[in-house]
């Protein structure tokens, strides 16, 4: 979870006349359209939960799902240029304001989800700048979509600190059904309008592999120990840490373990790929059929690796518990 001929398709970028932005790429053209007949822009909007069974669960008051509405009957729409894209193709997603009112939104606050087994999984972006933009009446804003998976299966890292998996082009997307969304409001930020544009990505599934940062592995007392080249041991804030995985084996589960099954966070390949340490330990557990994996790596974060890392996760039918800790220097 690389070959250019197989996987060059879908990267997420936005654009404006002003030039290029760091997170979503170059901003798209803003042009006049020919309509403008909607006097009260919210009167004809469908409430959230109606006609949107095929979209992620956005926390909004109205949800405009492009495949479930008549674009001519609503004042604002998010329209994909194609229902599916193949390898090497580019798609545009256009937000059109056909009302007489200005629409407030954040051009960087796009959302990408993937649907697997009837559930939606949030993919990107990992970080969102917070500028407020205005889409004037009878104008439009465009995001361009491209994907390049080149090198991902060979160990290219796309997650971790400073790399949020949402650059142009976006990496680490296998074939399947996706939803591109955003949100905004006409009069009040307390009354949000969400948008959902579904499309299919026609490419192969991605194989989950460790990153190239894994330098060596060895077995110690039944634990697969891997060492990572990430982190700077010379940094005064860096400490050696252990990022540990334990597989909860079905026939040895305690009552607490069975309860963990119900609370485990479900993951798919696209989400695992966006966390370098998690990617490494899960991929190594799968590759070596290991019940326990310890990744040793220098890290300058407080707490080490971040407090959100510890937890129980489910991936590909297996349940794993992740714990993190500092490794005390020898002699302490």
């Amino acid at each position: 979870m690389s070959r250019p001929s197989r996987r060059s398709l879908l990267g997420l970028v936005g654009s404006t006349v002003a030039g290029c932005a760091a997170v979503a790429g170059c901003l798209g053209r803003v042009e006049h359209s020919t309509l403008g007949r909607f006097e009260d822009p919210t009167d004809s909007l469908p409430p959230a939960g109606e006609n949107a069974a095929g979209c992620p669960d956005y926390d909004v008051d109205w949800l405009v799902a492009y495949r479930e509405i008549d674009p001519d009957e609503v004042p604002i729409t998010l329209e994909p240029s194609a229902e599916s894209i193949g390898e090497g193709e580019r798609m545009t997603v256009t937000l059109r304001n056909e009302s007489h009112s200005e629409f407030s939104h954040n051009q960087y606050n796009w959302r990408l989800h993937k649907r697997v087994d009837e559930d939606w999984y949030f993919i990107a972006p990992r970080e969102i700048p917070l500028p407020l933009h205005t889409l004037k009446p009878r104008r439009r804003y465009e995001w361009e979509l491209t994907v390049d998976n080149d090198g991902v299966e060979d160990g290219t890292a796309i997650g971790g600190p400073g790399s949020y998996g949402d650059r142009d082009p976006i990496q680490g997307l296998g074939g399947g059904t996706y939803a591109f969304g955003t949100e905004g409001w006409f009069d009040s930020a307390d009354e949000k309008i969400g948008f959902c544009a579904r499309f299919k990505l026609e490419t192969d599934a991605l194989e989950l592999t460790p990153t190239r940062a894994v330098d060596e592995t060895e077995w110690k007392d039944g634990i697969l120990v891997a060492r990572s080249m990430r982190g700077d041991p010379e940094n005064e804030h860096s400490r050696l840490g252990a990022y540990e995985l334990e597989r909860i084996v079905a026939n040895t589960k305690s009552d607490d373990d069975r309860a963990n099954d119900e609370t485990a966070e479900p993951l798919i390949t696209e989400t695992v790929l966006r966390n370098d340490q998690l990617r490494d330990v899960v991929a190594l557990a799968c590759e070596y059929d290991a019940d326990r994996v310890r990744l040793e790596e220098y890290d300058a974060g407080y707490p080490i690796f971040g407090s959100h890392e510890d937890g129980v996760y489910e991936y590909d039918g297996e349940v794993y518990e992740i714990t993190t800790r500092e490794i005390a220097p020898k002699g302490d």
Side-chain angles (χ1 to χ4, degrees):
M1 302 175 248
S2 320
R3 298 174 285 274
S5 60
R6 284 204 314 125
R7 314 186 191 282
S8 233
L9 24 170
L10 200 170
L12 294 170
V13 197
S15 58
T16 169
V17 189
C20 291
V23 173
C26 284
L27 301 180
R29 247 181 0 263
V30 178
E31 295 183 355
H32 287 285
S33 63
T34 58
L35 301 179
R37 58 189 175 83
F38 298 97
E39 298 294 342
D40 187 337
T42 60
D43 272 356
S44 56
L45 293 178
E50 292 187 8
N51 303 318
C55 290
D57 184 15
Y58 301 126
D59 184 17
V60 293
D61 299 285
W62 294 274
L63 181 58
V64 182
Y66 186 76
R67 303 299 175 197
E68 280 78 38
I69 53 96
D70 182 346
D72 293 331
E73 297 301 323
V74 292
I76 189 164
T77 60
L78 183 71
E79 178 181 359
S81 61
E83 293 190 9
S84 66
I85 53 176
E87 299 180 12
E89 296 177 346
R90 183 180 294 260
M91 185 172 73
T92 300
V93 182
T94 303
L95 183 65
R96 287 190 174 89
N97 182 6
E98 305 293 2
S99 76
H100 289 290
S101 302
E102 292 185 347
F103 185 73
S104 300
H105 71 121
N106 179 355
Q107 295 164 0
Y108 303 105
N109 188 18
W110 50 267
R111 306 169 191 176
L112 186 70
H113 290 76
K114 183 176 184 180
R115 191 172 192 176
V116 178
D117 297 331
E118 306 304 317
D119 292 321
W120 287 99
Y121 294 82
F122 177 78
I123 305 298
R126 292 278 299 275
E127 187 172 83
I128 303 171
L130 298 176
L132 185 64
H133 303 93
T134 299
L135 186 62
K136 294 185 180 298
R138 299 180 299 280
R139 290 184 177 247
R140 71 185 187 186
Y141 178 81
E142 296 177 349
W143 290 268
E144 291 183 341
L145 309 177
T146 16
V147 171
D148 182 4
N149 291 325
D150 187 31
V152 172
E153 291 180 326
D154 294 328
T156 295
I158 62 174
S163 176
Y164 300 99
D166 54 11
R167 309 294 174 126
D168 174 30
I170 193 169
Q171 294 181 292
L173 298 183
T177 298
Y178 289 83
F180 183 91
T182 190
E183 65 179 34
W185 58 90
F186 277 111
D187 297 314
S188 171
D190 294 328
E191 297 183 339
K192 288 186 178 179
I193 302 166
F195 303 89
C196 171
R198 297 194 308 273
F199 64 94
K200 287 187 178 180
L201 178 60
E202 304 287 353
T203 190
D204 296 335
L206 288 173
E207 178 185 356
L208 182 64
T209 56
T211 68
R212 297 192 188 105
V214 175
D215 189 31
E216 58 182 77
T217 58
E218 63 176 325
W219 288 95
K220 284 187 177 180
D221 301 323
I223 302 173
L224 181 66
V225 180
R227 293 176 179 84
S228 162
M229 296 184 291
R230 283 184 297 264
D232 180 7
E234 303 302 321
N235 184 316
E236 62 177 326
H237 301 293
S238 288
R239 294 97 64 216
L240 184 61
Y243 192 103
E244 298 178 307
L245 169 150
E246 181 174 1
R247 177 164 56 184
I248 301 175
V249 183
N251 60 6
T252 62
K253 288 181 182 178
S254 66
D255 290 340
D256 289 340
D257 290 334
R258 293 188 179 91
N260 282 339
D261 281 1
E262 298 178 2
T263 59
E265 179 182 346
L267 303 172
I268 58 175
T269 302
E270 285 80 2
T271 56
V272 177
L273 283 172
R274 281 161 171 77
N275 181 318
D276 291 340
Q277 291 79 17
L278 183 62
R279 170 184 177 176
D280 285 339
V281 294
V282 174
L284 289 169
C286 296
E287 180 180 349
Y288 289 89
D289 193 25
D291 290 334
R292 298 182 67 188
V293 179
R294 182 170 76 239
L295 178 69
E296 297 181 354
E297 176 178 316
Y298 282 93
D299 184 79
Y302 288 90
I304 199 158
F305 300 118
S307 60
H308 64 283
E309 297 294 323
D310 291 19
V312 180
Y313 303 90
E314 187 275 329
Y315 174 74
D316 197 25
E318 299 283 359
V319 177
Y320 303 102
E321 183 173 9
I322 300 294
T323 56
T324 57
R325 60 183 175 86
E326 293 187 31
I327 298 177
K330 291 181 179 180
D332 285 9

